[in-house]
DNA sequence: TGATGTAGTCATTTATTTCAGACTAATATT
DNA sequence: AATATTAGTCTGAAATAAATGACTACATCA
């Protein structure tokens, strides 16, 4: 075997996807947005231990990767809302498989809780 | 909405799975093992920029999470081989979806290369 | 007049990861 | 007797990531 693997893995779609969703808060943010918690302040409240800076960074990265969209309303005080793009919504099968694996192998059935925000 | 989300997410199967596979080198290591590159030294050679310590850490975590198994042969010099467990093999659907998303949205078709180690 | 609310930015400090390199065990080979 | 081999461990240093707290803009409300 050659050592071409590293070169290949630069273009590996698995690795590439992990880079997009792998950030500490990214799937959580996607989850919040898909549940209409899509403003900076609200998100910050839900993600108890996140700093503003971290939240900003994660949102910007998701935006740059085309997963979410940022809509600025010309109001004062400022209002910004985030939405999933079509690309972002295409992550659904990935997330479902992550969930399946977690439910089957990692989380005791009774304790599992997903997709319920207790609004 | 209450702030129960953080409590819930402690048991979120999506997050739990990400914790298992999210480590920088873990999917690569799983990939190598599934291609019979399953000894410490060989893996270290393939993963060009990994340190021994890092490799050890990742392998131990995967082992503790039940994804891989460690077989020690009582020989000198020492021989240790790693194998995927049934649980580890159950990650296949997850990895396939990660790949699908990457191929469709992240990697230009011509450049994509997965599952080919050029042995 | 002064406080309030939103969505941030920026500089500095602190915490967490990761790396580099020396070291080990025990046997076979030269 | 010295060297090679494998799969690591250990310590201290360097690099990266993340948190903290101050600061901004501008209209509206009290």
């Amino acid at each position: 075997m050659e050592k071409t693997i590293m070169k290949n893995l630069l273009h590996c779609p698995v690795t590439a996807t992990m880079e997009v969703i792998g950030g500490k808060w990214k799937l959580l943010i996607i989850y919040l947005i898909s549940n209409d918690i899509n403003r900076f302040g609200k998100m910050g409240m839900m993600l108890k231990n996140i700093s503003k800076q971290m939240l900003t960074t994660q949102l910007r990265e998701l935006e740059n990767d085309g997963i979410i969209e940022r809509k600025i309303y010309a109001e004062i005080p400022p209002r910004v809302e985030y939405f999933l793009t079509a690309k972002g919504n295409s992550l659904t099968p990935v997330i479902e498989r992550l969930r399946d694996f977690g439910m089957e192998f990692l989380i005791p059935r009774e304790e599992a809780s997903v997709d319920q925000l207790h609004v």
Side-chain angles (χ1 to χ4, degrees), chain A:
Chain A
M1 178 195 297
E2 323 159 20
K3 282 188 189 168
T4 50
I5 186 175
M6 290 312 293
K7 186 190 156 205
N8 289 335
L9 290 174
L10 290 180
H11 297 284
C12 173
V14 176
T15 302
T17 303
M18 284 302 284
E19 272 163 23
V20 168
I21 66 171
K24 206 175 170 185
W25 302 92
K26 289 192 178 165
L27 287 177
L28 262 44
I29 289 170
I30 289 169
Y31 178 51
L32 290 179
I33 293 176
S34 71
N35 282 277
D36 295 318
I37 296 163
N38 60 355
R39 295 187 60 180
F40 189 87
K42 270 283 181 208
M43 293 189 219
M45 287 177 183
M46 296 303 298
L47 304 170
K48 216 46 189 321
N49 298 314
I50 200 172
S51 66
K52 307 162 181 212
Q53 195 171 62
M54 178 86 289
L55 181 52
T56 300
T57 304
Q58 301 281 300
L59 287 169
R60 292 291 176 282
E61 288 178 5
L62 285 171
E63 193 191 357
N64 290 337
D65 288 334
I67 305 300
I68 65 176
E69 207 181 347
R70 187 160 172 269
K71 282 193 185 158
I72 308 169
Y73 299 84
E75 301 175 4
I76 298 244
R79 180 158 66 106
V80 175
E81 290 181 353
Y82 294 91
F83 301 93
L84 289 182
T85 60
K87 184 171 169 181
N89 277 311
S90 299
L91 282 169
T92 303
V94 175
I95 297 171
E96 284 174 350
R97 280 337 117 235
L98 289 167
R99 181 203 56 195
D100 293 347
F101 183 87
M103 301 230 300
E104 186 165 356
F105 294 102
L106 305 177
I107 307 278
R109 273 223 161 277
E110 323 85 55
E111 297 179 22
S113 68
V114 210
D115 296 338
Q116 286 214 355
L117 271 180
H118 296 258
V119 181

